[in-house]
Amino acid sequence: MSRSLDENLLLAIFRVCVWLVLLIVIFVPLERLFALHPQKIFRKAVLTDVAYYFLNSLIPGFLLGGPIALLAWLVHHAIPVAFTSAVGALPLWIRVVAGLVVGDIGAYWGHRWSHEIPFLWRFHAIHHSAEHVDFLVSTRAHPVDMVFTRLCGLIPLYVLGLAAPRGISNLVAVLVLLLGMIWGFFIHANVRWRFGPLEWLIATPGFHHWHHSNDGPAYVNKNYAALLPWVDRFFGTLYLPKHTQPEHYGIDKPVPTHFLVQLVRPFLISPLTTASQPASTYPNSVGPLSANRPLT
Ligand SMILES: [Zn+2]
Ligand SMILES: [Zn+2]
């Protein structure tokens, strides 16, 4: 017997609650034991982030459905079937690895445009308004921001035939999305762990926390990648000093604290009154280390 809409929604809410409990059980003790910055569990804006957690766990799936169906239709009509069939015939593991790389490059540009294009920055500024960065900040994102970045990661997968809306090929897109989501909680975690040379290969808290730094213009607009820091290296935006971590997080321009106001405001304010994230004044990956707190 098929379930009603209400039952499906209740089931989805139940699943999201179970995930939240799991995340709390994993990350709260780790952030107590290995904290990078001393922080209360009920820190500023924690309830706002819980609200974003529920919103972004339940809504993007619905919002992504339409654009992905349109994308699949366009790909079906614009890309030669022989090409997508040949890629679709590759072993699943090759498509998953290629999907992670291609998806991260797409997400990198989606994220970078969200900093550089004023209209997109209106939405993305909410993620950067966090003054305390921990695992829950991963979910602090306007749904428009979240859907846009995810679509930028998914479009190349569909165009290159690495993913398709149906069957086993859809598994590649689901795995890329799921891994990105789970990894997002980890790279935001308030932990002081460093991972040596591995940090150049895969994103870590040490890598992504610099993306949230508010320690001065030298550090802004760095480390856009969600999974692969060498994508930033390739495009010239990597900043990954060995022994220092950011002191301060957030942005100078205030963002309203009320959850509902945050959701509505990006649609209302004039494009003339907003700007993109100010450009970094430091062009490469070696910064003025003395300005930052040494890792202890
Ligand atoms: Zn950002
Ligand atoms: Zn972040």
Side-chain angles (χ1 to χ4, degrees):
M1 202 174 72
S2 63
R3 285 192 295 263
S4 71
L5 193 64
D6 285 354
E7 285 172 326
N8 278 331
L9 183 62
L10 281 175
L11 194 63
I13 292 171
F14 176 72
R15 278 200 201 111
V16 168
C17 289
V18 171
W19 271 105
L20 182 59
V21 171
L22 269 176
L23 289 166
I24 288 170
V25 167
I26 293 168
F27 283 106
V28 169
L30 290 179
E31 290 184 340
R32 297 302 97 203
L33 288 170
F34 305 102
L36 172 62
H37 300 289
Q39 195 168 288
K40 294 176 187 163
I41 293 175
F42 293 99
R43 43 96 176 147
K44 187 180 172 187
V46 70
L47 289 179
T48 306
D49 290 349
V50 170
Y52 274 115
Y53 170 82
F54 278 96
L55 185 76
N56 284 325
S57 301
L58 296 168
I59 295 289
F62 293 105
L63 296 182
L64 277 168
I68 285 177
L70 178 65
L71 179 63
W73 184 85
L74 286 173
V75 166
H76 183 71
H77 286 82
I79 311 285
V81 176
F83 175 76
T84 48
S85 302
V87 176
L90 291 169
L92 183 63
W93 72 268
I94 293 182
R95 279 183 291 147
V96 171
V97 173
L100 287 171
V101 174
V102 167
D104 209 48
I105 293 171
Y108 168 93
W109 280 103
H111 190 179
R112 187 164 167 173
W113 291 329
S114 298
H115 281 245
E116 294 175 351
I117 300 172
F119 176 76
L120 295 174
W121 174 249
R122 291 187 206 183
F123 297 92
H124 189 56
I126 291 168
H127 183 63
H128 282 272
S129 66
E131 291 170 12
H132 304 280
V133 174
D134 59 22
F135 76 100
L136 204 51
V137 169
S138 180
T139 64
R140 183 190 293 199
H142 196 288
V144 169
D145 177 26
M146 187 162 276
V147 166
F148 173 74
T149 313
R150 283 187 184 175
L151 271 180
C152 287
L154 287 175
I155 286 171
L157 296 188
Y158 286 97
V159 170
L160 294 176
L162 291 164
R166 274 185 285 279
I168 191 80
S169 296
N170 198 32
L171 187 66
V172 177
V174 171
L175 282 174
V176 168
L177 276 179
L178 202 63
L179 188 65
M181 210 173 68
I182 293 169
W183 208 252
F185 289 108
F186 171 62
I187 63 176
H188 286 90
N190 176 31
V191 291
R192 59 178 179 267
W193 299 336
R194 299 300 303 256
F195 295 85
L198 205 60
E199 292 189 341
W200 294 78
L201 192 67
I202 191 136
T204 55
F207 166 80
H208 189 69
H209 276 230
W210 279 112
H211 183 67
H212 285 265
S213 164
N214 194 23
D215 289 312
Y219 309 98
V220 299
N221 298 341
K222 302 291 184 193
N223 301 2
Y224 292 109
L227 213 55
L228 307 170
W230 47 269
V231 174
D232 273 283
R233 175 81 178 178
F234 185 79
F235 292 115
T237 49
L238 183 71
Y239 183 75
L240 194 53
K242 270 185 190 164
H243 302 296
T244 52
Q245 294 278 60
E247 281 262 23
H248 306 101
Y249 301 108
I251 47 177
D252 292 335
K253 209 164 187 174
V255 168
T257 51
H258 197 284
F259 174 62
L260 293 176
V261 179
Q262 286 184 4
L263 289 181
V264 174
R265 190 170 176 265
F267 294 105
L268 302 180
I269 49 179
S270 154
L272 297 174
T273 62
T274 56
S276 56
Q277 175 78 323
S280 166
T281 56
Y282 209 88
N284 58 40
S285 63
V286 183
L289 305 184
S290 58
N292 293 86
R293 188 168 78 89
L295 184 70
T296 51

